[in-house]
């Protein structure tokens, strides 16, 4: 009896046959992770606890008491003081980000309750123009602090920023002094100001209101600094330490006060607000 050679059939799966967006490569541990699992943990990697950036609405949902948020200064939009134009004009770039994100600017401000404490709250969103600070962001942060001062409210700002917005030049850089002055006036009334640094928190925002909090909290593994590590390495012509400018590194060197996991943030803020609870002078 003759036996024929068995024929095997190989099935090849082309990349375009796979649904997109199902898997994400973690920036920290390099594991390929099911996106739905990350989403179910509010943007936290299940393998290493790396905290991915999240949108402002999700941040709001997991931070404040349900239904307590009222937005302030929602209609402020950026002008084009320098008539800036590169491959696209600044107004065209702004409109693209508005359509993409549903936001008018890279920060949303308002009043909310956290663990029953009234707070003035600002949440930056890196999705809009890399969280950059232009005149409107500076104005909204300043108004947030001034209204918090006037109404004797603690102020909490979640930072996520690539720095000053180059399309507004010196007008953008002026916001550093403007926001810092507003923080000082808030402090003079002995009212709490808490900053939460998320990935990434850099440049002009970190050189102003991002590092002036009474308490500075960071999420795990967040990039925190002024210039980036590559720029610093090229400037000083030396290798930077392992983990340089990450939350854990800057905690060891005294820039921040604590690192808090995203799932514990609301509880931590509530405890801090309880410790600092007084209406100022």
């Amino acid at each position: 009896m003759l036996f024929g050679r068995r024929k095997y059939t190989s099935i090849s799966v082309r990349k375009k046959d796979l649904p997109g967006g199902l898997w994400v490569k973690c920036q920290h541990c390099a594991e390929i992770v099911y996106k739905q699992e990350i989403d179910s943990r509010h943007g936290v990697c299940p393998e290493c606890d790396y905290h991915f950036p999240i949108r402002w609405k999700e941040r709001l949902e997991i931070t404040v008491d349900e239904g307590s948020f009222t937005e302030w200064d929602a209609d402020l939009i950026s002008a084009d003081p320098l008539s800036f134009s590169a491959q696209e004009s600044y107004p065209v770039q702004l409109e693209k980000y508005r359509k993409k994100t549903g936001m008018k600017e890279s920060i949303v401000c308002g009043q909310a309750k956290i663990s029953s404490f009234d707070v003035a709250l600002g949440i930056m969103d890196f999705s809009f123009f890399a969280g950059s600070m232009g005149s409107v962001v500076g104005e909204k942060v300043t108004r947030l602090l001034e209204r918090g001062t006037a109404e004797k409210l603690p102020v909490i700002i979640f930072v996520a920023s690539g720095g000053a917005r180059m399309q507004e030049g010196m007008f953008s850089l002026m916001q550093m002094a403007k926001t810092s002055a507003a923080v000082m006036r808030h402090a003079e009334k002995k009212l709490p100001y808490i900053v939460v640094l998320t990935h990434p928190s850099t440049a002009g925002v970190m050189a102003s209101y991002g590092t002036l909090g009474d308490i500075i909290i960071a999420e795990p593994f967040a990039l925190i600094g002024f210039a980036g590590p590559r720029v610093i390495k090229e400037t000083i012509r030396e290798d930077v330490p392992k983990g340089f400018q990450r939350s854990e590194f800057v905690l060891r060197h005294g820039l921040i006060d604590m690192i808090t996991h995203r799932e514990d943030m609301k509880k931590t803020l509530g405890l801090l607000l309880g410790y600092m609870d007084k209406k100022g002078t």
Side-chain angles (χ1 to χ4, degrees):
M1 182 175 179
L2 298 175
F3 295 91
R5 181 176 295 177
R6 184 176 178 182
K7 296 182 178 179
Y8 292 89
T9 302
S10 62
I11 300 175
S12 61
V13 179
R14 295 170 299 176
K15 186 175 181 180
K16 68 179 183 179
D17 293 330
L18 296 172
L22 290 179
W23 303 91
V24 176
K25 183 176 181 179
C26 177
Q27 299 177 28
H28 183 255
C29 67
E31 290 291 326
I32 306 298
V33 185
Y34 190 36
K35 186 176 183 298
Q36 187 173 347
E37 192 170 358
I38 294 175
D39 292 342
S40 69
R41 302 178 86 234
H42 299 293
V44 177
C45 175
E47 300 294 329
C48 69
D49 269 351
Y50 172 74
H51 285 43
F52 288 85
I54 58 174
R55 297 299 312 278
W56 76 271
K57 284 186 178 179
E58 184 172 8
R59 177 84 62 188
L60 185 74
E61 178 185 332
I62 63 177
T63 303
V64 308
D65 298 350
E66 185 176 358
S68 67
F69 181 72
T70 301
E71 189 172 357
W72 294 343
D73 302 309
D75 295 327
L76 291 182
I77 58 173
S78 294
D80 185 15
L82 303 181
S83 299
F84 183 91
S85 182
Q87 290 182 337
E88 294 179 324
S89 68
Y90 183 38
V92 169
Q93 294 177 60
L94 285 168
E95 187 58 30
K96 283 188 174 182
Y97 277 110
R98 288 176 189 135
K99 289 180 178 179
K100 178 182 177 182
T101 65
M103 302 176 69
K104 292 182 179 178
E105 257 301 343
S106 60
I107 189 168
V108 174
C109 299
Q111 182 173 345
K113 289 182 181 291
I114 297 178
S115 300
S116 299
F117 291 100
D118 288 309
V119 299
L121 178 67
I123 302 177
M124 301 191 75
D125 191 325
F126 196 78
S127 300
F128 190 101
F129 236 124
S132 54
M133 177 172 63
S135 300
V136 168
V137 172
E139 179 67 16
K140 292 183 76 169
V141 169
T142 300
R143 290 190 186 189
L144 176 75
L145 286 155
E146 290 179 343
R147 188 163 175 178
T149 304
E151 299 186 17
K152 297 186 177 182
L153 295 173
V155 175
I156 299 174
I157 298 180
F158 284 82
V159 172
S161 178
R165 189 172 299 171
M166 58 172 284
Q167 289 83 352
E168 295 187 26
M170 186 58 70
F171 292 96
S172 175
L173 297 177
M174 289 167 61
Q175 307 311 310
M176 296 165 61
K178 178 178 175 178
T179 55
S180 297
V183 172
M184 182 190 70
R185 290 190 292 271
H186 189 73
E188 287 174 347
K189 296 298 182 181
K190 297 181 173 58
L191 293 163
Y193 173 44
I194 300 173
V195 177
V196 182
L197 304 177
T198 72
H199 179 75
S201 296
T202 61
V205 170
M206 284 299 291
S208 54
Y209 64 90
T211 46
L212 295 177
D214 299 307
I215 296 176
I216 303 176
I217 307 171
E219 290 188 331
F221 310 119
L223 177 65
I224 297 170
F226 185 71
R230 179 181 58 81
V231 174
I232 293 175
K233 181 179 178 180
E234 290 176 356
T235 302
I236 65 175
R237 300 184 183 280
E238 292 181 13
D239 290 332
V240 296
K242 184 178 180 181
F244 181 65
Q245 291 188 322
R246 295 291 171 170
S247 304
E248 296 70 22
F249 182 92
V250 298
L251 176 65
R252 290 196 301 271
H253 290 80
L255 179 64
I256 64 176
D257 297 298
M258 64 180 73
I259 296 173
T260 301
H261 195 285
R262 190 170 287 165
E263 69 178 15
D264 299 323
M265 190 64 71
K266 180 177 181 178
K267 178 181 177 182
T268 300
L269 290 173
L271 289 171
L272 291 172
L273 290 167
Y275 297 149
M276 304 168 79
D277 183 29
K278 58 181 180 178
K279 290 297 183 180
T281 58

Short mmCIF file of all heavy atoms in Angstrom, two decimals, residues 122-154:
data_model
loop_
_atom_site.label_atom_id
_atom_site.label_comp_id
_atom_site.label_asym_id
_atom_site.label_seq_id
_atom_site.Cartn_x
_atom_site.Cartn_y
_atom_site.Cartn_z
N GLY A 122 -8.42 72.61 37.34
CA GLY A 122 -7.97 72.73 35.96
C GLY A 122 -7.38 71.41 35.49
O GLY A 122 -6.60 70.78 36.22
N ILE A 123 -7.76 70.96 34.29
CA ILE A 123 -7.24 69.71 33.73
C ILE A 123 -6.68 69.98 32.34
O ILE A 123 -7.42 70.38 31.43
CB ILE A 123 -8.34 68.63 33.64
CG1 ILE A 123 -8.95 68.35 35.02
CG2 ILE A 123 -7.78 67.34 33.05
CD1 ILE A 123 -10.09 67.35 35.00
N MET A 124 -5.39 69.78 32.18
CA MET A 124 -4.76 69.92 30.87
C MET A 124 -4.89 68.62 30.09
O MET A 124 -4.91 67.53 30.67
CB MET A 124 -3.29 70.31 31.02
CG MET A 124 -3.06 71.60 31.78
SD MET A 124 -1.36 72.21 31.67
CE MET A 124 -1.36 72.86 29.97
N ASP A 125 -4.97 68.75 28.77
CA ASP A 125 -5.12 67.58 27.90
C ASP A 125 -4.06 67.65 26.81
O ASP A 125 -4.06 68.56 25.97
CB ASP A 125 -6.53 67.57 27.28
CG ASP A 125 -6.86 66.26 26.58
OD1 ASP A 125 -5.95 65.64 25.99
OD2 ASP A 125 -8.04 65.86 26.62
N PHE A 126 -3.15 66.69 26.82
CA PHE A 126 -2.03 66.68 25.87
C PHE A 126 -2.49 66.50 24.44
O PHE A 126 -1.76 66.82 23.50
CB PHE A 126 -1.05 65.57 26.25
CG PHE A 126 0.30 65.69 25.60
CD1 PHE A 126 1.24 66.59 26.07
CD2 PHE A 126 0.64 64.89 24.51
CE1 PHE A 126 2.49 66.72 25.47
CE2 PHE A 126 1.88 65.01 23.91
CZ PHE A 126 2.81 65.93 24.38
N SER A 127 -3.71 66.01 24.25
CA SER A 127 -4.22 65.77 22.90
C SER A 127 -4.40 67.05 22.10
O SER A 127 -4.37 67.03 20.87
CB SER A 127 -5.57 65.02 22.96
OG SER A 127 -5.43 63.79 23.62
N PHE A 128 -4.62 68.16 22.79
CA PHE A 128 -4.80 69.44 22.11
C PHE A 128 -3.47 70.17 22.07
O PHE A 128 -2.99 70.67 23.08
CB PHE A 128 -5.85 70.30 22.83
CG PHE A 128 -6.26 71.53 22.05
CD1 PHE A 128 -7.44 71.54 21.33
CD2 PHE A 128 -5.46 72.66 22.03
CE1 PHE A 128 -7.83 72.67 20.61
CE2 PHE A 128 -5.82 73.79 21.32
CZ PHE A 128 -7.01 73.80 20.60
N PHE A 129 -2.87 70.23 20.90
CA PHE A 129 -1.63 70.99 20.67
C PHE A 129 -0.53 70.63 21.66
O PHE A 129 0.20 71.48 22.16
CB PHE A 129 -1.90 72.50 20.73
CG PHE A 129 -1.48 73.23 19.48
CD1 PHE A 129 -2.39 74.00 18.78
CD2 PHE A 129 -0.18 73.16 19.01
CE1 PHE A 129 -2.02 74.69 17.63
CE2 PHE A 129 0.20 73.84 17.87
CZ PHE A 129 -0.71 74.60 17.17
N ALA A 130 -0.44 69.34 22.00
CA ALA A 130 0.56 68.83 22.94
C ALA A 130 0.50 69.54 24.30
O ALA A 130 1.51 69.69 24.98
CB ALA A 130 1.97 68.95 22.35
N GLY A 131 -0.71 69.95 24.68
CA GLY A 131 -0.88 70.60 25.97
C GLY A 131 -0.10 71.89 26.10
O GLY A 131 0.19 72.33 27.22
N SER A 132 0.23 72.51 24.99
CA SER A 132 1.09 73.70 25.04
C SER A 132 0.33 74.90 25.62
O SER A 132 -0.89 75.00 25.54
CB SER A 132 1.62 74.04 23.64
OG SER A 132 0.56 74.18 22.71
N MET A 133 1.11 75.81 26.22
CA MET A 133 0.54 76.98 26.87
C MET A 133 0.68 78.22 26.00
O MET A 133 1.78 78.71 25.77
CB MET A 133 1.23 77.23 28.22
CG MET A 133 0.72 78.49 28.93
SD MET A 133 1.34 78.71 30.61
CE MET A 133 3.10 78.88 30.33
N GLY A 134 -0.45 78.68 25.50
CA GLY A 134 -0.50 79.96 24.81
C GLY A 134 -1.21 80.98 25.69
O GLY A 134 -1.42 80.75 26.88
N SER A 135 -1.62 82.07 25.09
CA SER A 135 -2.25 83.16 25.86
C SER A 135 -3.54 82.72 26.53
O SER A 135 -3.83 83.12 27.66
CB SER A 135 -2.52 84.35 24.93
OG SER A 135 -1.32 84.83 24.38
N VAL A 136 -4.33 81.90 25.84
CA VAL A 136 -5.61 81.48 26.42
C VAL A 136 -5.40 80.53 27.58
O VAL A 136 -6.08 80.63 28.62
CB VAL A 136 -6.52 80.85 25.34
CG1 VAL A 136 -7.71 80.16 25.97
CG2 VAL A 136 -7.00 81.93 24.38
N VAL A 137 -4.46 79.60 27.46
CA VAL A 137 -4.18 78.70 28.58
C VAL A 137 -3.71 79.51 29.79
O VAL A 137 -4.18 79.30 30.92
CB VAL A 137 -3.12 77.65 28.20
CG1 VAL A 137 -2.69 76.84 29.42
CG2 VAL A 137 -3.67 76.71 27.13
N GLY A 138 -2.79 80.46 29.56
CA GLY A 138 -2.34 81.30 30.65
C GLY A 138 -3.46 82.10 31.28
O GLY A 138 -3.55 82.24 32.51
N GLU A 139 -4.36 82.61 30.44
CA GLU A 139 -5.50 83.39 30.94
C GLU A 139 -6.45 82.51 31.75
O GLU A 139 -6.93 82.91 32.82
CB GLU A 139 -6.24 84.05 29.78
CG GLU A 139 -7.46 84.86 30.17
CD GLU A 139 -7.14 86.10 30.97
OE1 GLU A 139 -5.96 86.52 30.99
OE2 GLU A 139 -8.07 86.66 31.59
N LYS A 140 -6.73 81.30 31.26
CA LYS A 140 -7.64 80.41 31.96
C LYS A 140 -7.07 79.95 33.30
O LYS A 140 -7.78 79.87 34.30
CB LYS A 140 -8.01 79.21 31.08
CG LYS A 140 -8.85 79.58 29.88
CD LYS A 140 -9.27 78.38 29.05
CE LYS A 140 -10.39 77.61 29.70
NZ LYS A 140 -10.98 76.59 28.80
N VAL A 141 -5.77 79.65 33.32
CA VAL A 141 -5.12 79.28 34.58
C VAL A 141 -5.15 80.44 35.56
O VAL A 141 -5.44 80.27 36.76
CB VAL A 141 -3.67 78.81 34.33
CG1 VAL A 141 -2.90 78.66 35.64
CG2 VAL A 141 -3.66 77.49 33.58
N THR A 142 -4.85 81.64 35.08
CA THR A 142 -4.87 82.83 35.94
C THR A 142 -6.27 83.09 36.48
O THR A 142 -6.44 83.36 37.69
CB THR A 142 -4.37 84.06 35.15
OG1 THR A 142 -3.03 83.81 34.69
CG2 THR A 142 -4.38 85.31 36.02
N ARG A 143 -7.27 83.01 35.63
CA ARG A 143 -8.64 83.21 36.09
C ARG A 143 -9.05 82.14 37.09
O ARG A 143 -9.77 82.42 38.06
CB ARG A 143 -9.61 83.21 34.90
CG ARG A 143 -9.49 84.42 33.99
CD ARG A 143 -10.63 84.43 32.99
NE ARG A 143 -10.50 85.50 32.02
CZ ARG A 143 -11.45 85.82 31.15
NH1 ARG A 143 -12.61 85.14 31.13
NH2 ARG A 143 -11.28 86.81 30.27
N LEU A 144 -8.63 80.90 36.85
CA LEU A 144 -8.93 79.80 37.77
C LEU A 144 -8.36 80.12 39.16
O LEU A 144 -9.06 79.99 40.18
CB LEU A 144 -8.32 78.51 37.24
CG LEU A 144 -8.46 77.27 38.14
CD1 LEU A 144 -9.89 76.74 38.08
CD2 LEU A 144 -7.48 76.18 37.72
N LEU A 145 -7.11 80.54 39.21
CA LEU A 145 -6.47 80.86 40.48
C LEU A 145 -7.11 82.08 41.13
O LEU A 145 -7.36 82.09 42.34
CB LEU A 145 -4.97 81.09 40.26
CG LEU A 145 -4.16 79.82 40.01
CD1 LEU A 145 -2.88 80.12 39.22
CD2 LEU A 145 -3.82 79.15 41.34
N GLU A 146 -7.40 83.11 40.34
CA GLU A 146 -7.99 84.33 40.91
C GLU A 146 -9.39 84.08 41.44
O GLU A 146 -9.76 84.59 42.50
CB GLU A 146 -8.00 85.44 39.85
CG GLU A 146 -6.59 85.96 39.53
CD GLU A 146 -6.58 87.04 38.47
OE1 GLU A 146 -7.60 87.16 37.73
OE2 GLU A 146 -5.57 87.75 38.36
N ARG A 147 -10.18 83.29 40.71
CA ARG A 147 -11.53 83.00 41.18
C ARG A 147 -11.48 82.08 42.40
O ARG A 147 -12.27 82.25 43.34
CB ARG A 147 -12.35 82.36 40.06
CG ARG A 147 -13.81 82.21 40.38
CD ARG A 147 -14.63 81.97 39.14
NE ARG A 147 -16.03 81.70 39.45
CZ ARG A 147 -16.97 81.49 38.53
NH1 ARG A 147 -16.65 81.53 37.24
NH2 ARG A 147 -18.23 81.24 38.89
N GLY A 148 -10.53 81.13 42.39
CA GLY A 148 -10.34 80.29 43.56
C GLY A 148 -9.97 81.12 44.79
O GLY A 148 -10.46 80.88 45.90
N THR A 149 -9.13 82.13 44.57
CA THR A 149 -8.75 83.03 45.67
C THR A 149 -9.95 83.83 46.15
O THR A 149 -10.20 83.93 47.36
CB THR A 149 -7.63 83.99 45.21
OG1 THR A 149 -6.52 83.23 44.71
CG2 THR A 149 -7.16 84.85 46.36
N ALA A 150 -10.71 84.40 45.22
CA ALA A 150 -11.85 85.23 45.58
C ALA A 150 -12.93 84.43 46.33
O ALA A 150 -13.57 84.95 47.25
CB ALA A 150 -12.44 85.86 44.32
N GLU A 151 -13.11 83.17 45.92
CA GLU A 151 -14.15 82.34 46.54
C GLU A 151 -13.59 81.44 47.63
O GLU A 151 -14.30 80.57 48.14
CB GLU A 151 -14.85 81.53 45.45
CG GLU A 151 -15.52 82.40 44.40
CD GLU A 151 -16.34 81.61 43.40
OE1 GLU A 151 -16.66 80.42 43.67
OE2 GLU A 151 -16.67 82.18 42.34
N LYS A 152 -12.32 81.65 47.99
CA LYS A 152 -11.65 80.91 49.07
C LYS A 152 -11.72 79.40 48.85
O LYS A 152 -12.05 78.63 49.75
CB LYS A 152 -12.24 81.30 50.43
CG LYS A 152 -12.02 82.77 50.77
CD LYS A 152 -12.49 83.10 52.17
CE LYS A 152 -12.17 84.56 52.51
NZ LYS A 152 -12.57 84.92 53.88
N LEU A 153 -11.35 79.01 47.63
CA LEU A 153 -11.35 77.60 47.26
C LEU A 153 -9.93 77.08 47.09
O LEU A 153 -9.06 77.80 46.60
CB LEU A 153 -12.10 77.39 45.94
CG LEU A 153 -13.59 77.69 45.90
CD1 LEU A 153 -14.09 77.60 44.47
CD2 LEU A 153 -14.35 76.74 46.80
N PRO A 154 -9.68 75.83 47.44
CA PRO A 154 -8.42 75.20 47.05
C PRO A 154 -8.36 75.09 45.53
O PRO A 154 -9.40 74.92 44.88
CB PRO A 154 -8.49 73.80 47.68
CG PRO A 154 -9.64 73.83 48.63
CD PRO A 154 -10.57 74.90 48.16
#
